[in-house]
Amino acid sequence: QKEVEQNSGPLSVPEGAIASLNCTYSDRVSQSFFWYRQYSGKSPELIMSIYSNGDKEDGRFTAQLNKASQYVSLLIRDSQPSDSATYLCAVKRNGGFKTIFGAGTRLFVKA
Amino acid sequence: DAGVTQSPTHLIKTRGQQVTLRCSPKSGHDTVSWYQQALGQGPQFIFQYYEEEERQRGNFPDRFSGHQFPNYSSELNVNALLLGDSALYLCASAVRADQETQYFGPGTRLLVL
């Protein structure tokens, strides 16, 4: 079982729609959760972090965390073609220094 | 304010050779982590350096070693290169007070032939 699992996609949504990206993790000791965006040929960029159960909103992005189900998701509202990228879910243990990444989900937003 | 920089951008080596990759952290950052990203995969944690010491290591063999200098810059050394070492090598920096927010450099793309 992989430590962080994501559907590789591609996930294709029309412009203006909501894109929903999901991630599960195996280590119950995980305490910090992140979503990174990676454009093709570029390095990852942190877009959201979440530490408590529930929702966290930042502009068009909403991260959702459910520690009991070991599940993290990212919702992108009003998706734009510029959102087309690979979205990486990552987790970290409390007090740990190692960030564990999933393989990423490719998102394609059609104009 | 300069971001994280890495050099070189691309590198071609042959099996058995050794390589050194370099990273300068973002201004004000004192912690450097190194990751390996194979094609189609997420970054894999190699190790992290803080105060010139390796603080934690991922599941990588001893062929992978590193160093951090007093100015917080860092090097990643890989000995006895294998074909499977071909990947994008990413450096990420952070400040000790906010380890959760790390900034990635542009990466070094290594091809081993």
Side-chain angles (χ1 to χ4, degrees):
Chain A
Q1 182 186 11
K2 292 183 180 179
E3 292 181 271
V4 180
E5 298 214 45
Q6 298 181 252
N7 187 322
S8 62
L11 173 66
S12 184
V13 300
E15 184 175 359
I18 295 175
S20 178
L21 304 162
N22 304 313
C23 168
T24 58
Y25 60 95
S26 61
D27 188 352
R28 287 192 173 274
V29 187
S30 300
Q31 292 290 332
S32 304
F33 306 88
F34 311 93
W35 284 99
Y36 285 81
R37 177 176 61 201
Q38 187 172 27
Y39 291 113
S40 181
K42 301 294 185 183
S43 57
E45 172 193 13
L46 179 66
I47 54 173
M48 291 284 289
S49 55
I50 186 167
Y51 308 101
S52 304
N53 281 327
D55 295 0
K56 179 181 178 182
E57 187 174 320
D58 184 0
R60 295 186 296 112
F61 299 98
T62 299
Q64 300 174 317
L65 174 60
N66 184 325
K67 290 185 180 180
S69 301
Q70 295 176 245
Y71 178 89
V72 195
S73 65
L74 179 71
L75 300 177
I76 306 175
R77 290 181 299 281
D78 188 25
S79 295
Q80 301 297 310
S82 59
D83 294 326
S84 298
T86 294
Y87 289 80
L88 300 163
C89 173
V91 306
K92 201 171 174 184
R93 285 187 172 196
N94 190 31
F97 307 116
K98 175 181 176 181
T99 304
I100 302 167
F101 285 83
T105 298
R106 285 184 297 144
L107 173 66
F108 179 61
V109 181
K110 299 175 290 184
Chain B
D1 177 23
V4 181
T5 61
Q6 292 186 244
S7 63
T9 55
H10 295 82
L11 204 51
I12 299 175
K13 292 286 189 179
T14 56
R15 280 178 296 174
Q17 285 189 311
Q18 178 265 342
V19 69
T20 297
L21 310 181
R22 295 176 176 82
C23 171
S24 290
K26 187 175 169 64
S27 178
H29 287 192
D30 53 12
T31 303
V32 173
S33 300
W34 285 93
Y35 294 84
Q36 179 196 67
Q37 187 174 24
L39 200 61
Q41 300 299 315
Q44 299 295 309
F45 179 84
I46 302 175
F47 40 54
Q48 184 181 93
Y49 276 85
Y50 173 70
E51 291 188 340
E52 303 179 50
E53 295 287 332
E54 183 183 295
R55 191 147 77 157
Q56 188 170 3
R57 187 179 185 91
N59 188 25
F60 280 81
D62 292 344
R63 299 187 297 110
F64 290 78
S65 63
H67 188 78
Q68 186 178 35
F69 299 94
N71 67 352
Y72 308 119
S73 67
S74 178
E75 288 182 349
L76 165 65
N77 300 292
V78 187
N79 294 322
L81 285 167
L82 304 173
L83 296 180
D85 294 332
S86 295
L88 178 67
Y89 288 85
L90 294 161
C91 165
S93 73
V95 291
R96 183 173 184 269
D98 182 12
Q99 292 288 316
E100 310 299 275
T101 305
Q102 52 182 350
Y103 294 81
F104 282 87
T108 294
R109 191 164 296 280
L110 172 65
L111 177 61
V112 182
L113 301 176

